[in-house]
Amino acid sequence: MAWNVVIAGGGFGGFYAARALERQLPSNSARVTLVNDANFMLYTPLLPGAAGATLDPRHVVVPLRSQLRRTHLVVGEVTGAEPARRTLSVKRLDGERIELGYDQLIVALGSVSRTLPIPGLIEHATGFKSLADATALRNRVLSCMDIAESLERHAERTEYLSFVFVGAGYAGVEGLAELQDFAAQAIDLYPHCRAQGMRWVLVEAKDRIMQEVPRGLSEFAARELRARGIEVRTGTTVKEITRCDATLSGGARIPARTVVWTAGVKPSPAVARLGLPSDQSGRVVVDDTMRVEGHERIWAIGDCAAVPDPARQGQPCPPTAQHAIRQGRLVARNVAATLDAGRVRPFRYRTRGVVAELGGSEAVALTLGVRWRGRPAWFIARTYHLLLMPGLGRKLRLLVDWNVALLFGRDTSAPGRLGSPTPLAGDGDDERE
């Protein structure tokens, strides 16, 4: 009888776990099922490129079916689990609710944007976590310039030509840098907007941006952003957001119609419905082999799991792609070893480096203790993402997009709402005189 291995989540951790299981397990020994809310894996580090029009949005995703040939894919939402019965509850795309039985379960549900009780945040700010978010931000920048170009009053234009990013981690810095580059090119097509100029503001609660890199690289990144006219406000928080402005700590008010929230992540809400032990942050509690505490048949990896970090005693691994990838590969080996009565191994990976693009062919990078900045770091960052992208076809698409953008500039058209068709209008919807 074949074993049933179920993977909940198709991000970096879940995808690499499934791919490793296909290689670890004989074809007839186990049935591997991957449950994900989409039929692709989003390559999240490239979201800024999709937002800034250096990459086609379709080229920052990895189709799961073409990359996982022996894995059964169920597209749907995880709604719960019963560990005692060894079942996972799923709501499929067609709305039908099904239960998947498992002998081994890998939880890799990822994370969502973390929000705070700030007045107006939910109603007026936008996130930067999904492909839809990236596309919407690109469209919004162009829409704001279209509106501002037709306005006569300076104060009204200011609201539409000001953009505030809250949170200066990787997502905030790279997202702002790419969008500012994109807008700086697009504004040449808007004479009134060009004459007035734009305002870009980066707000960070801590004393410096990009806490993940050494202080020297963080300070270099801040200088680069400021040199391009971007306001970097550290030690600052947002107190309130309205439809047309953001109020910062200290009382400063920034007129802006666009506020982007990138201040941290939290585990997917689906994790809380699984009935598994969790820590104060909501992450699933696991040991150093990634097995869930008190559950011999369940494992958890990635952003939703508190996997002990070998480099920081008593702390969980940071929610990065490089950690999720290594956890996915190792948990696959541990699951295979468990099914074969073998020995499981602890997670021992330590961060080997970080890369962050700053737009304009500038970046910062840390590789094996060596610090890089400027164009060399930019080349390292592009090469790293190119090597990490699964599939030769996907790699070639990245190369083509990057080179086209370098030679001909960024595409300044708005792609619209991808995947949202225009509803058909009935005869009664047409007004006749």
Side-chain angles (χ1 to χ4, degrees):
M1 181 183 70
W3 300 100
N4 284 321
V5 180
V6 176
I7 304 171
F12 279 103
F15 170 78
Y16 277 91
R19 194 159 77 163
L21 282 169
E22 288 187 346
R23 298 169 180 171
Q24 293 281 332
L25 299 174
S27 58
N28 296 322
S29 67
R31 175 184 172 89
V32 179
T33 302
L34 176 64
V35 181
N36 197 42
D37 57 1
N39 65 357
F40 59 81
M41 181 197 80
L42 174 63
Y43 192 107
T44 49
L46 294 180
L47 267 184
T54 56
L55 293 172
D56 187 307
R58 297 169 300 174
H59 299 167
V60 301
V61 300
V62 179
L64 294 174
R65 294 188 187 276
S66 65
Q67 293 295 318
L68 302 174
R69 298 301 180 88
R70 290 171 44 204
T71 299
H72 178 58
L73 177 63
V74 176
V75 181
E77 176 189 359
V78 174
T79 59
E82 292 189 42
R85 295 177 52 229
R86 302 210 301 267
T87 59
L88 183 74
S89 301
V90 179
K91 181 181 178 182
R92 289 192 325 206
L93 279 179
D94 59 359
E96 183 177 348
R97 298 180 183 274
I98 61 174
E99 285 191 345
L100 299 175
Y102 62 82
D103 297 296
Q104 299 286 324
L105 171 65
I106 300 173
V107 179
L109 290 169
S111 59
V112 297
S113 296
R114 181 193 62 182
T115 58
L116 299 175
I118 298 173
L121 173 63
I122 304 298
E123 295 83 359
H124 304 295
T126 183
F128 190 46
K129 187 68 175 163
S130 68
L131 191 59
D133 292 339
T135 305
L137 279 174
R138 175 177 166 184
N139 293 346
R140 187 176 182 86
V141 169
L142 292 173
S143 296
C144 284
M145 287 195 283
D146 284 330
I147 295 171
E149 187 69 14
S150 64
L151 297 175
E152 297 296 331
R153 294 177 56 192
H154 183 280
E156 290 180 335
R157 278 207 203 107
T158 298
E159 293 180 5
Y160 287 98
L161 295 178
S162 298
F163 306 90
V164 179
F165 274 68
V166 185
Y170 293 130
V173 171
E174 292 187 301
L176 181 147
E178 284 288 341
L179 275 170
Q180 195 261 0
D181 258 8
F182 168 71
Q185 177 180 317
I187 203 170
D188 287 338
L189 306 174
Y190 299 83
H192 293 112
C193 295
R194 184 175 67 248
Q196 178 165 332
M198 297 177 292
R199 184 182 186 186
W200 293 80
V201 183
L202 178 62
V203 178
E204 170 56 44
K206 297 182 180 179
D207 64 339
R208 64 183 178 94
I209 67 172
M210 298 181 67
Q211 295 281 322
E212 303 90 345
V213 304
R215 182 173 291 274
L217 294 181
S218 171
E219 292 172 351
F220 171 82
R223 288 196 302 270
E224 282 296 315
L225 296 178
R226 290 191 173 106
R228 288 160 49 185
I230 298 170
E231 300 176 34
V232 180
R233 301 197 178 201
T234 55
T236 305
T237 58
V238 175
K239 295 301 181 183
E240 184 181 8
I241 301 172
T242 68
R243 184 174 59 90
C244 55
D245 63 37
T247 302
L248 308 183
S249 56
R253 174 184 168 273
I254 300 178
R257 293 274 179 161
T258 304
V259 178
V260 184
W261 182 261
T262 62
V265 297
K266 64 180 180 180
S268 167
V271 174
R273 300 193 288 265
L274 300 181
L276 302 176
S278 59
D279 61 11
Q280 293 182 345
S281 68
R283 287 180 164 190
V284 180
V285 178
V286 298
D287 60 20
D288 59 0
T289 68
M290 294 164 291
R291 180 177 270 133
V292 175
E293 186 178 88
H295 297 271
E296 290 294 316
R297 298 174 180 265
I298 305 178
W299 316 74
I301 59 174
D303 294 3
C304 72
V307 180
D309 189 349
R312 301 180 302 167
Q313 189 67 29
Q315 297 292 320
C317 291
T320 64
Q322 60 181 297
H323 284 84
I325 290 171
R326 272 74 178 191
Q327 290 168 13
R329 290 170 176 166
L330 179 60
V331 80
R333 289 196 290 269
N334 284 347
V335 167
T338 300
L339 295 177
D340 197 32
R343 183 173 68 90
V344 299
R345 298 185 178 184
F347 184 69
R348 290 288 181 257
Y349 176 78
R350 296 170 181 261
T351 301
R352 295 180 180 175
V354 294
V355 295
E357 293 190 48
L358 305 175
S361 300
E362 298 288 336
V364 294
L366 177 66
T367 59
L368 299 176
V370 180
R371 301 180 184 185
W372 306 82
R373 61 187 67 185
R375 286 184 178 270
W378 173 82
F379 180 77
I380 290 172
R382 289 282 172 96
T383 303
Y384 172 77
H385 292 312
L386 186 65
L387 293 175
L388 198 59
M389 174 63 77
L392 177 61
R394 314 308 293 181
K395 296 179 193 293
L396 292 176
R397 286 178 171 88
L398 292 186
L399 275 176
V400 170
D401 284 353
W402 280 333
N403 284 293
V404 167
L406 285 173
L407 293 173
F408 302 104
R410 302 167 190 248
D411 182 4
T412 55
S413 63
R417 295 188 176 183
L418 298 179
S420 299
T422 303
L424 295 174
D427 293 339
D429 294 336
D430 294 329
E431 294 184 4
R432 303 179 184 275
E433 296 183 357

